[in-house]
Amino acid sequence: ILNVEQSPQSLHVQEGDSTNFTCSFPSSNFYALHWYRWETAKSPEALFVMTLNGDEKKKGRISATLNTKEGYSYLYIKGSQPEDSATYLCAFSETGANNLFFGTGTRLTVIP
Amino acid sequence: DSGVTQTPKHLITATGQRVTLRCSPRSGDLSVYWYQQSLDQGLQFLIQYYNGEERAKGNILERFSAQQFPDLHSELNLSSLELGDSALYFCASSVQGGVNEQFFGPGTRLTVL
């Protein structure tokens, strides 16, 4: 089992604040890093898939960066809104495998 | 709506019993993955099928088995159920595998009493 760690475990921010979370993963045999957004009572929804060192992806107010050499990825949310409240999961896949190893997630609560 | 369907939504059963969870992937997706989420744990990969064949195996117990049928739907069979098998079971599908994003179904919540 590969170790994928996310921090912090949970986070409360005020509406309008910007925030970021960290995902750490093994730097050897890297293939891809996925970010998912998981709202309560729904299923995880893909945000980004990143494969190249230095990759940066953006979707609206959410962006992510990737450092495969040191084994981490950051997810940023600019100007948090209450609808951003969810658990954000990262998942790592290694070369030659399609299955994902998930972190336990960062639970974000945006307070209006 | 991801396009992945899972049935049933909820399942309550007793220890020692056997259940079958069903998953229909998105139209055109050939790969199906099964994940288990127990209390306070992250999503754990169980098994992957690609176009009817087993492709990868994760932390799947010997009491559990799965298959993918010619129409690409998949079933996860859980037998000799124990209390610790109570969890949310997700199915996901992707076009092939690799870096393709996986689309998750709504999950089946299994409660073993």
Side-chain angles (χ1 to χ4, degrees):
Chain A
I1 298 177
L2 297 175
N3 203 23
V4 179
E5 294 184 356
Q6 290 188 247
S7 62
Q9 212 171 10
S10 67
L11 193 54
H12 288 71
V13 300
Q14 292 290 328
E15 182 176 351
D17 286 352
S18 294
T19 187
N20 64 85
F21 333 126
T22 305
C23 172
S24 301
F25 53 86
S27 55
S28 58
N29 294 328
F30 175 85
Y31 190 41
L33 193 285
H34 299 236
W35 279 101
Y36 283 83
R37 182 171 179 273
W38 191 3
E39 287 182 77
T40 304
K42 294 187 177 179
S43 49
E45 179 189 341
L47 286 172
F48 307 113
V49 180
M50 296 185 288
T51 57
L52 299 174
N53 185 43
D55 241 357
E56 287 191 33
K57 298 261 177 151
K58 189 173 179 183
K59 188 182 282 190
R61 294 179 291 98
I62 305 177
S63 60
T65 61
L66 178 67
N67 183 324
T68 61
K69 295 189 188 311
E70 295 180 46
Y72 65 84
S73 174
Y74 293 134
L75 187 80
Y76 300 91
I77 301 179
K78 189 177 175 183
S80 303
Q81 299 297 307
E83 57 265 30
D84 296 328
S85 296
T87 295
Y88 291 83
L89 299 169
C90 72
F92 163 86
S93 63
E94 55 179 350
T95 306
N98 301 147
N99 52 292
L100 299 177
F101 294 93
F102 279 86
T104 50
T106 293
R107 181 174 293 197
L108 173 68
T109 304
V110 182
I111 303 162
Chain B
D1 183 1
S2 66
V4 179
T5 60
Q6 287 187 249
T7 56
K9 255 187 155 172
H10 302 278
L11 199 47
I12 301 174
T13 188
T15 54
Q17 295 298 304
R18 173 191 167 96
V19 297
T20 297
L21 313 184
R22 184 189 167 103
C23 167
S24 292
R26 287 189 326 155
S27 176
D29 284 359
L30 299 177
S31 256
V32 169
Y33 308 79
W34 286 97
Y35 293 90
Q36 178 194 55
Q37 201 220 4
S38 303
L39 202 61
D40 293 334
Q41 288 197 14
L43 284 164
Q44 299 288 321
F45 168 70
L46 295 177
I47 197 163
Q48 177 203 358
Y49 279 82
Y50 175 75
N51 205 20
E53 293 191 5
E54 182 183 305
R55 179 61 68 90
K57 225 169 184 176
N59 299 325
I60 189 164
L61 299 171
E62 282 191 18
R63 300 183 284 107
F64 297 0
S65 64
Q67 52 184 325
Q68 185 179 29
F69 296 85
D71 67 352
L72 301 178
H73 91 271
S74 177
E75 292 181 357
L76 179 67
N77 301 296
L78 315 176
S79 61
S80 303
L81 285 167
E82 301 175 0
L83 295 177
D85 297 328
S86 296
L88 195 50
Y89 291 85
F90 281 107
C91 162
S93 73
S94 68
V95 173
Q96 290 186 330
V99 298
N100 295 291
E101 62 185 270
Q102 294 181 19
F103 293 86
F104 280 76
T108 292
R109 182 167 292 282
L110 173 67
T111 302
V112 182
L113 301 175

